[in-house]
Amino acid sequence: MKKLTTALLGLLILFSSSCRLLKPSKDMGYDFVATLFNGKVEADGMHYLIKNLDGTIYNSNVVLVDGGPSVDSALGEKIFVFYWANEAYGFFCKKPQKGKPLQILVGDEWKLLNHTESVRVDSTVKFFQRYMYSPKIEKGKESRLINVYLTPREDLSQQFEIRQDSTEIKHFFVREIRGEWMKLQLCIDYSSYFAVCVGALTTEAWEEISKHSESYPIYWIRWRQGTKLLTPLSDFYDKYAYY
């Protein structure tokens, strides 16, 4: 009887562990990004209405015009990304639910935004993979040190510094995002590709560059800590923008 009780207890523990493993991770709102584009523009620009969770209006003056986005003072720096070249805003958001408004993060507050054809939702990793990570050097300085890790955790034995030098700028592909950690891979020197591409590099060129970089070193950085972004968005650039 004692052996049977022990066996049943073991099975119960195993079942409980399996349930914990199968339980989906909580959606903290950082797995997706909603990008607001300059879609069908009216005479006074493209307007987006942001509401509070109770349906009351939070902000009705988010406008995208031909000259670039117009930042309303109520948003300030609470928007996630604000990029002029693409004439777009971006907000972290929860997974879309059919027929329901998107839940977007404005700072650390949840708001509602209608999911129209002018709003595109991507996974956070897909959103970042459009960009290259290339930390900017402060004006007047020659270099900058970047803290990186060999594993996605703050293990001091796995931490070291990479020097971003103004005479030899490093570029990194975003390969994966795992919670608060971002996986980077050093990119090859792709300057020679501009000899055959006019303006921005093509998708095919980037695919080739990415493939040739697959044997290069891999690092991890902590890109956010809770609601705080640790990596300035100015450290990323659009791979398909003109240079």
Side-chain angles (χ1 to χ4, degrees), residues 11-242:
L11 287 171
L12 181 62
I13 293 171
L14 182 62
F15 178 75
S16 299
S17 301
S18 300
C19 288
R20 284 196 296 271
L21 289 172
L22 292 171
K23 187 178 179 180
S25 59
K26 186 177 180 182
D27 183 357
M28 300 299 290
Y30 292 92
D31 294 334
F32 296 89
V33 175
T35 306
L36 286 58
F37 287 99
N38 197 348
K40 185 179 179 182
V41 184
E42 305 298 332
D44 58 345
M46 185 76 185
H47 290 252
Y48 290 92
L49 178 66
I50 298 176
K51 295 182 179 180
N52 296 307
L53 294 182
D54 62 4
T56 58
I57 296 175
Y58 171 74
N59 191 296
S60 59
N61 197 31
V62 180
V63 187
L64 290 169
V65 295
D66 290 336
S70 172
V71 182
D72 183 79
S73 58
L75 290 176
E77 295 182 359
K78 292 182 180 179
I79 53 178
F80 161 55
V81 63
F82 167 52
Y83 41 129
W84 289 92
N86 300 71
E87 300 181 356
Y89 290 113
F91 296 87
F92 288 116
C93 70
K94 289 192 175 182
K95 187 176 182 179
Q97 296 185 43
K98 190 174 181 180
K100 294 184 178 180
L102 291 171
Q103 290 191 50
I104 63 171
L105 270 177
V106 179
D108 57 358
E109 297 178 354
W110 287 107
K111 305 297 179 185
L112 298 177
L113 174 75
N114 286 336
H115 192 180
T116 68
E117 60 183 13
S118 297
V119 179
R120 187 182 74 203
V121 178
D122 296 308
S123 66
T124 301
V125 67
K126 184 178 178 181
F127 174 87
F128 273 109
Q129 283 177 341
R130 181 182 175 87
Y131 299 86
M132 294 294 286
Y133 177 64
S134 184
K136 285 190 174 180
I137 299 170
E138 290 182 31
K139 190 175 181 180
K141 294 190 177 181
E142 295 297 320
S143 63
R144 170 182 168 183
L145 294 176
I146 314 159
N147 286 325
V148 298
Y149 295 81
L150 295 178
T151 56
R153 62 180 183 273
E154 288 189 337
D155 181 353
L156 293 180
S157 67
Q158 299 291 305
Q159 179 192 32
F160 61 99
E161 295 175 330
I162 293 178
R163 183 178 295 275
Q164 180 74 305
D165 196 296
S166 59
T167 60
E168 188 179 353
I169 300 295
K170 297 179 181 66
H171 309 272
F172 300 85
F173 284 99
V174 177
R175 296 303 196 192
E176 181 184 346
I177 290 180
R178 195 179 298 177
E180 297 184 349
W181 293 85
M182 181 179 289
K183 184 179 182 180
L184 305 173
Q185 184 162 40
L186 185 63
C187 178
I188 63 170
D189 177 3
Y190 60 83
S191 56
S192 60
Y193 283 80
F194 285 103
V196 294
C197 292
V198 179
L201 296 181
T202 63
T203 301
E204 291 74 18
W206 275 116
E207 287 175 353
E208 189 174 338
I209 293 166
S210 176
K211 186 175 181 180
H212 288 314
S213 301
E214 287 177 353
S215 61
Y216 274 48
I218 286 175
Y219 310 101
W220 291 86
I221 60 169
R222 193 171 188 177
W223 68 282
R224 69 175 177 88
Q225 187 170 19
T227 60
K228 182 182 179 182
L229 293 180
L230 302 178
T231 307
L233 293 167
S234 57
D235 284 348
F236 295 86
Y237 65 85
D238 191 335
K239 291 190 292 189
Y240 303 103
Y242 286 85

